[in-house]
Amino acid sequence: MKKYYPNAFLSILLVALFLAKHSTSQVSINTGLTPQQLVQTMLGIGVSATNVTFTGTLTATGGFIEPSNSFNIRNGIVLTSGNPNRIPGPNNMDSASVDNFLPGDSLLDLYTTAFTQDATILEFDFVPSSDSIAFNYVFGSEEYNEFVNSGYNDIFGFFISGPGINGTQNIALVPGTNTPVAIDSINNGYAIVGTLPTGPCTNCQYYIENSGGSILQYDGYTTVLTAGTRVQPCATYHLRLAIADAGDGIYDSGIFIQAGSFKSTAAFNLQFNGSSSPSIINICPGECATLSAPTLPNYLWSNGDTTQTTQACTAAFYSVSTTVGTCHASSNLVSVRQVTAPPVAVLSVSNDTAYSSVTTGPYAYQWYNDTTCLLYTSDAADERSSVDLGGRRIIKKKNHETVRRCLQTRYHRRLNQNKQQTMKPITARTLQCHR
């Protein structure tokens, strides 16, 4: 089994593209790349690839460079349903086409009402080093705009399968939706040849009209989109990049994939209390924080544990890692800190104000005159070390009427029963531990 990693080949490709015999105001195309070189070009940091296969004709593929960076991908690979040599601008043809007279793809057939043909399929296994993968791409086509909503459009998809993924999933989606990217899902409406589309807009914020354009021959293309999904670090996945004509073998389409953009780099996050862990967790004496990792092939915590969860009971930095072959992935660091409990408060009362003996430190205070009535003198009363006992100073907190009646009833009952200016004993509960 041979592995493919990003290396000096990308530099060689760029030199070849610069030397390609096209105007520097256009997209430059370099054909003749092997399937392995195509995959190698798109790979970035944190991803390794094996088992590369290709279906179709390699004359439908190539490397590209766009010197003006007008669609924000300067270089990469292109897969087409025809021939990439038809891609360089200017846009001076209504139906630039090459029919390769090849079969379609049964998986792409599921996404269109027409039969597919001239399929170009590049697929490979890959291993990510983090819990997500992503790469950048642009889709362009000669079928814009006269075939918008026609019922048959060229089709493409990026299909991933592997651990944690139900079957095969297409990750070439309109941003924020589950809708596959296609001519009918990103456009500014139908328009006959020689006219500009005026709507209705269908996700047209992602569409670039190319009538009269100098860079590409395609009549329209998308903005830079990102395909990505969650994965399990160091597990093996399969990616299938496919594009095909639909309904006929003419009117070419292509997908441009940014060089080096297929990455899996960020440290994956630990979980705490069912959500992504903060970078700092405070625990009280005798407490533990339960940290958990996503599903991994194996686990090695910084405290030596080898299970999916660990109990962080001492102050330290915690992380987990997994290793499979040459793949090593690590989580983010979480600092667990132990907070010292405050001393027990001694209470005193002077001039209708109760005071706590604990007045300094990172403490919060809650004041009670029994087990149910919490007294507030301001919206920040639970952060003060004293409380005013005058009825008028007690301010709302949730059901403020209940709080006021509770205090006044107990206060007057004491006066009537004891005939003296005293109150039922007031207690202050200093929080045992303020996290």
Side-chain angles (χ1 to χ4, degrees), residues 273-314:
N273 287 342
S275 60
S276 182
S277 174
S279 59
I280 298 175
I281 298 175
N282 291 326
I283 60 174
C284 296
E287 286 187 343
C288 296
T290 300
L291 301 175
S292 60
T295 301
L296 301 172
N298 50 66
Y299 307 88
L300 179 60
W301 289 87
S302 52
N303 62 359
D305 285 352
T306 57
T307 56
Q308 189 169 1
T309 63
T310 190
Q311 297 298 312
C313 303
T314 58

Side-chain angles (χ1 to χ4, degrees), residues 20 26-27 51 54 220 228 260 291 295 354 359 363 390 423:
Q26 304 167 328
V27 170
N51 302 327
F54 180 81
L291 301 175
T295 301
T359 59
Y363 305 135
M423 290 186 65

Side-chain angles (χ1 to χ4, degrees), residues 58-130:
L58 284 174
T59 61
T61 71
F64 75 90
I65 188 168
E66 200 284 282
S68 70
N69 201 28
S70 64
F71 57 84
N72 296 316
I73 294 182
R74 187 171 293 276
N75 58 277
I77 66 169
V78 60
L79 309 178
T80 77
S81 62
N83 191 301
N85 288 319
R86 293 280 187 164
I87 292 175
N91 181 15
N92 55 9
M93 298 178 63
D94 296 328
S95 58
S97 305
V98 171
D99 192 337
N100 294 319
F101 300 100
L102 292 173
D105 176 56
S106 60
L107 187 54
L108 289 176
D109 284 340
L110 301 176
Y111 290 82
T112 179
T113 57
F115 65 91
T116 60
Q117 57 189 26
D118 285 345
T120 299
I121 306 167
L122 179 66
E123 51 190 316
F124 55 92
D125 294 336
F126 72 91
V127 176
S129 62
S130 188

Side-chain angles (χ1 to χ4, degrees), residues 349 351-352 369-370 373 375 388-392 394 403-426:
V349 178
N351 296 325
D352 287 339
N369 71 340
D370 63 10
C373 295
L375 312 184
D388 190 295
L389 304 182
R392 290 174 176 250
I394 295 175
V403 172
R404 184 181 298 115
R405 284 199 302 270
C406 181
L407 175 71
Q408 292 173 345
T409 299
R410 293 186 182 279
Y411 180 79
H412 288 298
R413 183 178 300 145
R414 276 293 180 183
L415 288 178
N416 294 335
Q417 290 176 353
N418 300 331
K419 307 298 183 181
Q420 52 184 317
Q421 298 286 325
T422 61
M423 290 186 65
K424 181 177 180 179
I426 296 176

